[in-house]
Amino acid sequence: MKKAFAICFLIFLSAILFAQHRAAKSSPQPSPENAIKNLERTIPDLMQKADIPGMSVALILHGKIVWTHAYGVMNATTRQPVTNTTIFEAASLTKVIVAYSVLKLVDEGKLDLDVPLNKYFGNNYDVVNDNRIDQITTRRVLTHTSGFPNWRAEGASSLPINFTPGEKFSYSGEGFVYLSKVVEKITGEAFPDFIQRTVLDPLAMTNSSLAWKDDYSTRAAHRHDMLGNVSFRQEGKDYNAAASLRTTAEDYAKFMVALLSGTGLKPATWQEMMKPQVNVDAEHSQVYWGLGVGLEVTDDGKAFWHWGDQGDSKAFMNARLDEKNGIVYFTNSANGLSIAKEILDDALGGTHPSLLWLDYERYNSPGRTLFKTIVAKGAPEALAAWRTARKNNPQQSVNENQMNSLGYALLRMKRVDDAIEVFKQNTVDFPQSSNVWDSLAEGYMTKGDKPMAIQYYEKSLQLDPNNKNGEEQLKKLKQ
């Protein structure tokens, strides 16, 4: 029985191999008429295959919004349908709007791209005993070269600087939060009010806000996990300059139209925003960051782009500067970025190296198939079949990050024993990775097995003495 299951599993995985390789290849640019037809035809099928409950999308052609559409449901339990005014989480697409608003201050002469931010703020913010704060500027925040981590350790009041500012690209939400505090100091406005005044009102983005509004209780989509089950909805009056914009696809497309032409910015400032300032890494030579926005520089021309990831909700946008064509979509699903390749193929065509850099798992990947099999059969049987399939075809492997994500998805589902089996598999495949041992330790800690958790946090720290999370968890476990 198990042998037959393994063979079926292998056949199924082989059947999707060709589709999996499409991620790295260019696709022809569709005509305007075909772009809409393609999207209308393929989106419902992709949503069904990827377990995406709800989606909102807008298409821009030649600098104009030509098509918007709503699909699926806001909540898989209540089945309330998505409409064109359903509110979605923009997540990190927020950062592009924040960058645009800050550049308006630059145009007004109230902020200089290259003056240290602490000169405006008046102190060193949350940085303690590190003079490199003097090197953190608006430009370095917007290009993710500030030296800050993405987020500080949970509960920490101080903020570390991990490397000399300007040294390299390292994505950081903390930098945008710091920048928002500086803007509040300069303008005397609460940051959501500043965004409303400088971006949302001028562009008639009437369904958008940086902070939660009361009417969102009936209009905002709920998040959903990898299997399409309702997880939760982020509410509350707090705001975050890196991630808390709520919006619609049509509203965000209005902003993209403005960006495509430089509306609202001086020409030199807009050109600086769209100029490659830093390469993300040596391996991805066509992916850069401008001022607050990702850039793709390929044979197809230059495009700006960004992604949004709030765990169980995902978003993506991409627009070509030459043709002024673009696409933006929002989903209420953990799997929302698994269909980005197909959406871009249908809407814009061309090559999109940003997707290879992001490296999100495709909707038809071996990892997603493995996850569904674990949920149906349990981890021991599913992993045994997967190992057989991988032995026969190594291209069916699941990488370290993908396997880790499966484990954490299972933890969130409270399938702790299955999660531990997945984390164990990762330690077998990547024994020199500190992170996989850290995750295994967390699995045992969640289970309540303190000795095993201590053992594996210690193993993680042996491999990486700078693993701050492991160090903190070990202290708690030994107290």
Side-chain angles (χ1 to χ4, degrees):
M1 181 68 179
K2 288 185 178 180
K3 183 177 180 181
F5 175 70
I7 292 172
C8 291
F9 188 87
L10 174 60
I11 292 171
F12 179 78
L13 290 179
S14 298
I16 65 173
L17 181 58
F18 176 76
Q20 193 69 12
H21 282 308
R22 287 181 62 215
K25 295 183 178 180
S26 177
S27 62
Q29 182 175 348
S31 67
E33 302 80 17
N34 286 340
I36 295 173
K37 289 178 182 178
N38 291 343
L39 292 166
E40 289 179 335
R41 182 182 70 253
T42 61
I43 284 177
D45 181 58
L46 288 169
M47 289 176 65
Q48 187 272 326
K49 290 177 178 175
D51 296 308
I52 296 173
M55 180 171 170
S56 180
V57 58
L59 178 68
I60 300 164
L61 295 176
H62 307 302
K64 295 181 180 180
I65 301 171
V66 298
W67 178 77
T68 61
H69 209 290
Y71 293 92
V73 295
M74 295 168 53
N75 182 306
T77 301
T78 66
R79 309 303 297 175
Q80 183 178 355
V82 173
T83 71
N84 284 333
T85 58
T86 295
I87 302 299
F88 283 85
E89 295 178 83
S92 285
L93 267 63
T94 304
K95 294 181 176 73
V96 191
I97 280 184
V98 168
Y100 172 82
S101 70
V102 167
L103 291 175
K104 286 192 165 190
L105 284 182
V106 173
D107 279 347
E108 294 170 9
K110 296 178 180 178
L111 189 64
D112 189 293
L113 284 171
D114 299 307
V115 169
L117 288 173
N118 60 354
K119 301 300 183 185
Y120 300 99
F121 196 62
N123 61 46
N124 287 346
Y125 186 48
D126 294 337
V127 175
V128 178
N129 297 326
D130 194 332
N131 291 332
R132 291 179 296 179
I133 186 72
D134 296 331
Q135 300 177 50
I136 296 178
T137 63
T138 300
R139 185 187 301 274
R140 285 175 174 165
V141 167
L142 295 182
T143 57
H144 296 283
T145 58
S146 67
F148 285 145
N150 190 16
W151 299 111
R152 70 189 77 189
E154 186 175 354
S157 58
S158 62
L159 179 59
I161 299 176
N162 291 337
F163 58 87
T164 300
E167 184 176 276
K168 62 181 180 179
F169 176 92
S170 183
Y171 191 79
S172 173
E174 288 283 0
F176 277 74
V177 174
Y178 178 30
L179 184 56
S180 73
K181 302 302 181 186
V182 173
V183 169
E184 288 180 330
K185 189 75 176 286
I186 292 171
T187 64
E189 294 175 277
F191 198 68
D193 295 337
F194 171 73
I195 294 296
Q196 191 73 41
R197 177 177 65 83
T198 58
V199 184
L200 306 184
D201 286 346
L203 298 180
M205 297 172 66
T206 55
N207 287 303
S208 302
S209 173
L210 199 66
W212 180 266
K213 292 185 175 181
D214 291 338
D215 69 322
Y216 289 176
S217 60
T218 58
R219 296 177 57 202
H222 283 72
R223 299 179 185 179
H224 295 75
D225 64 20
M226 291 174 68
L227 295 175
N229 301 313
V230 176
S231 53
F232 73 105
R233 184 169 65 184
Q234 185 70 42
E235 301 179 7
K237 299 295 184 181
D238 292 340
Y239 64 90
N240 185 309
S244 69
L245 179 73
R246 276 105 171 169
T247 189
T248 65
E250 183 175 9
D251 260 18
Y252 204 90
K254 292 177 182 178
F255 170 65
M256 291 172 64
V257 167
L259 272 193
L260 280 166
S261 62
T263 300
L265 296 175
K266 292 180 178 179
T269 305
W270 177 73
Q271 288 167 11
E272 193 72 12
M273 184 182 190
M274 296 298 165
K275 183 177 79 175
Q277 306 270 336
V278 61
N279 181 228
V280 294
D281 59 42
E283 184 181 350
H284 299 88
S285 60
Q286 296 177 311
V287 184
Y288 298 84
W289 232 257
L291 295 181
V293 64
L295 299 173
E296 296 176 327
V297 182
T298 70
D299 292 341
D300 301 319
K302 186 192 293 182
F304 66 77
W305 70 278
H306 214 290
W307 87 110
D309 183 346
Q310 292 281 47
D312 286 350
S313 67
K314 300 283 200 297
F316 194 83
M317 68 92 166
N318 188 292
R320 290 184 175 173
L321 288 164
D322 291 340
E323 299 98 334
K324 300 192 186 314
N325 295 342
I327 186 84
V328 58
Y329 74 91
F330 297 93
T331 73
N332 56 354
S333 169
N335 306 322
L337 288 169
S338 71
I339 61 171
K341 166 66 177 171
E342 285 70 23
I343 297 296
L344 291 179
D345 282 353
D346 287 344
L348 306 177
T351 304
H352 296 283
S354 60
L355 297 182
L356 294 177
W357 178 68
L358 288 173
D359 195 28
Y360 276 91
E361 200 162 4
R362 301 284 299 286
Y363 72 95
N364 54 5
S365 71
R368 264 193 61 79
T369 304
L370 174 60
F371 179 72
K372 287 189 169 186
T373 310
I374 289 172
V375 172
K377 303 281 188 177
E381 184 174 352
L383 286 168
W386 171 76
R387 284 190 291 267
T388 300
R390 181 179 64 173
K391 184 177 180 180
N392 287 288
N393 188 347
Q395 292 182 335
Q396 304 309 321
S397 296
V398 177
N399 69 34
E400 176 187 338
N401 291 334
Q402 291 168 348
M403 189 69 81
N404 227 36
S405 295
L406 298 187
Y408 280 108
L410 291 164
L411 276 187
R412 290 192 294 272
M413 294 170 65
K414 303 190 185 306
R415 297 186 59 155
V416 180
D417 288 337
D418 283 335
I420 287 173
E421 290 301 313
V422 167
F423 291 141
K424 281 182 180 178
Q425 181 65 52
N426 232 9
T427 64
V428 172
D429 292 338
F430 305 97
Q432 298 306 310
S433 168
S434 169
N435 189 53
V436 299
W437 296 100
D438 183 283
S439 298
L440 181 56
E442 185 172 343
Y444 277 112
M445 185 170 66
T446 303
K447 187 175 182 177
D449 191 334
K450 186 182 289 188
M452 294 296 282
I454 290 173
Q455 176 183 336
Y456 292 125
Y457 274 128
E458 288 177 340
K459 173 72 172 178
S460 176
L461 282 165
Q462 287 172 8
L463 292 167
D464 179 12
N466 295 318
N467 178 6
K468 299 299 182 184
N469 176 69
E471 185 178 327
E472 290 297 321
Q473 297 302 334
L474 203 54
K475 286 179 182 176
K476 293 177 183 178
L477 287 166
K478 288 185 174 180
Q479 282 176 351

